[in-house]
């Protein structure tokens, strides 16, 4: 599975992803939650809840891709083709 970064400048196949918290602007006390992997930032979100939702979407997409590798499962009977294509290349949402 490929993952396209939020700013559409990076593509990665690395599945090790984590959420980090960074205080971007101490005066405004604005906290951003970054989704990162070993190649850098894939996306940034204003709440940890949203960052976790994105990780959940990636987890589901990755699981669907892994199911394609099981010969006896006809995943296309459960998931439409256009949805499978979205799982092959996951694009990080803007917000």
């Amino acid at each position: 599975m490929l993952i396209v970064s939020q700013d559409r400048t990076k593509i990665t196949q690395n599945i090790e992803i984590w959420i980090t918290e960074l205080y971007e602007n101490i005066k405004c006390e604005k906290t951003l939650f970054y989704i990162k992997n070993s190649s850098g930032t894939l996306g940034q979100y204003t709440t940890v809840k949203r960052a976790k939702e994105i990780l959940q979407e990636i987890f589901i997409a990755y699981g669907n891709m892994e199911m394609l590798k099981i010969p006896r499962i006809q995943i296309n009977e459960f998931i439409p083709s256009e949805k499978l294509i979205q799982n092959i290349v996951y694009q990080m949402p803007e917000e």
Side-chain angles (χ1 to χ4, degrees), residues 47-95:
T47 66
V48 71
K49 179 182 178 199
R50 181 62 180 143
K52 287 180 178 180
E53 289 171 354
I54 302 302
L55 284 183
Q56 181 68 19
E57 289 176 10
I58 293 170
F59 172 75
I60 290 169
Y62 181 76
N64 290 342
M65 289 304 303
E66 288 299 303
M67 286 178 63
L68 285 173
K69 297 177 184 176
I70 301 171
R72 294 185 181 168
I73 293 179
Q74 299 295 322
I75 196 164
N76 59 333
E77 293 177 8
F78 305 103
I79 300 174
S81 299
E82 61 275 1
K83 192 70 170 169
L84 282 176
I85 291 168
Q86 291 172 348
N87 292 333
I88 294 169
V89 179
Y90 181 87
Q91 294 191 25
M92 299 294 289
E94 294 286 327
E95 296 178 12

Side-chain angles (χ1 to χ4, degrees), residues 18-66:
W18 59 89
I19 297 173
T20 62
E21 183 177 343
L22 180 68
Y23 290 94
E24 187 72 21
N25 184 340
I26 294 184
K27 287 181 184 176
C28 297
E29 297 179 1
K30 181 179 180 184
T31 304
L32 294 176
F33 297 91
Y34 290 83
I35 296 179
K36 296 185 168 206
N37 72 357
S38 59
S39 68
T41 299
L42 297 173
Q44 66 182 33
Y45 301 94
T46 55
T47 66
V48 71
K49 179 182 178 199
R50 181 62 180 143
K52 287 180 178 180
E53 289 171 354
I54 302 302
L55 284 183
Q56 181 68 19
E57 289 176 10
I58 293 170
F59 172 75
I60 290 169
Y62 181 76
N64 290 342
M65 289 304 303
E66 288 299 303

